[in-house]
Amino acid sequence: MASDPLYSGMTAAEIDRQYNFRKLVPEHPAYFTRWQAESEAVRARLGGRYDVSTGPHPRQRADVFPAGRNAPVLLFIHGGYWRALSKDLHSFIAAPYVERGVAVVLLGYGLCPDVTMDELCGHAQAGLDWVFANAADFGGDPRRVVVSGHSAGGHLTAKLVSENRDRVAGGIPISGLYDLEPMLGFEVNEQLRLDPDSARRLSPIHAVPAPAPLLMPALGGLETDAMHRQQADYALAWAAQGNAVREIVEPGADHFSVVDRFAEPGSLLFEAALAMLKDS
């Protein structure tokens, strides 16, 4: 029955209230429209290398924004619940980092249900491998790669940092989902096709390595209790392994405006991210 508890005592209706981000922020289309316009302007102004292949799937593509020689590299993975949006919507993020000497790579990947979640995670790994192999060609330092991403991209960020702990300099997952079990009772699973075994296996909270680089999970202060719990639980799991972790809660930001803060000089999140990159 729909009223039966599914996850941590939450019914399907409560999972929807906690994790249906577009319903929670009904003005989200305005964010997407603005991000698209700003991203087109940034691509025209900055130049760069666009739609570089990182694998055989047509969405395995990267946009590269160089920033001089031996620059730290920010790899950013877009959100969209593993089934929507694209890297093209997020070029606006690159501008303030490039202007401060950070090379930026925006990563695309295949979306569910066209690909499985395992394949999608493999696309993210292939993209990171591409960055390590090609960083020197675009002026980046492969020893100073910091991975970040939003929402579904936050999940992929956490997974990549855990699985590449000896290669990456740090991770900044934003509004990430670290325990995928709630997705089993949520409508998006019609496309994700997770089962209890795969949900656990693909949940970063169950695969925290040690030792590992600095992790800086972040989310908006206006996000739901469940999202704050996701972050707090993951930070505790990271710290329990003796790893350095710094939680960030961006005041007054929702699930979408927190992405703006990531690209906003002077914000708590931007300044912390820039410091991690410069110190890497």
Side-chain angles (χ1 to χ4, degrees), residues 18-253:
Q18 293 287 334
Y19 289 100
N20 195 328
F21 307 129
R22 295 192 181 195
K23 188 184 293 186
L24 286 160
V25 186
E27 64 274 23
H28 66 268
Y31 285 106
F32 299 160
T33 299
R34 177 170 53 80
W35 291 353
Q36 184 67 47
E38 292 179 0
S39 292
E40 290 173 359
V42 164
R43 288 195 294 272
R45 185 174 81 250
L46 288 186
R49 298 166 56 188
Y50 304 135
D51 291 322
V52 179
S53 176
T54 61
H57 191 278
R59 288 186 60 98
Q60 282 185 269
R61 299 290 184 269
D63 293 342
V64 181
F65 299 87
R69 297 188 62 182
N70 298 317
V73 179
L74 172 64
L75 172 64
F76 183 83
I77 310 170
H78 72 83
Y81 255 136
W82 305 276
R83 59 178 189 163
L85 305 183
S86 74
K87 64 177 176 54
D88 301 345
L89 205 64
H90 295 81
S91 301
F92 74 96
I93 290 171
Y97 290 98
V98 170
E99 290 163 1
R100 289 160 178 79
V102 175
V104 176
V105 178
L106 303 177
L107 186 64
Y109 51 91
L111 301 177
C112 298
D114 179 53
V115 301
T116 67
M117 281 288 283
D118 281 289
E119 290 170 327
L120 187 156
C121 292
H123 291 180
Q125 180 63 58
L128 179 59
D129 291 340
W130 183 91
V131 170
F132 285 125
N134 293 275
D137 293 341
F138 58 81
D141 185 342
R143 300 165 300 178
R144 303 173 68 196
V145 176
V146 170
V147 183
S148 185
H150 173 244
S151 198
H155 160 263
L156 294 170
T157 295
K159 199 166 186 303
L160 288 179
V161 174
S162 289
E163 295 173 358
N164 299 269
R165 56 181 175 142
D166 296 326
R167 304 169 77 195
V168 300
I172 311 170
I174 303 168
S175 302
L177 292 108
Y178 312 110
D179 184 348
L180 299 186
E181 187 180 343
M183 299 299 99
L184 297 173
F186 187 34
E187 63 184 25
V188 301
N189 203 38
E190 293 179 9
Q191 287 77 43
L192 307 184
R193 296 169 291 178
L194 293 167
D195 59 30
D197 289 340
S198 60
R200 182 176 181 84
R201 176 170 49 78
L202 297 174
S203 293
I205 198 165
H206 298 308
V208 177
L214 173 62
L215 191 81
M216 197 162 66
L219 84 170
L222 301 180
E223 300 205 48
T224 64
D225 291 344
M227 289 299 289
H228 281 269
R229 186 167 62 251
Q230 285 261 358
Q231 175 161 303
D233 288 349
Y234 190 55
L236 284 172
W238 198 262
Q241 294 296 321
N243 300 319
V245 61
R246 177 189 176 187
E247 278 194 82
I248 290 182
V249 177
E250 185 63 43

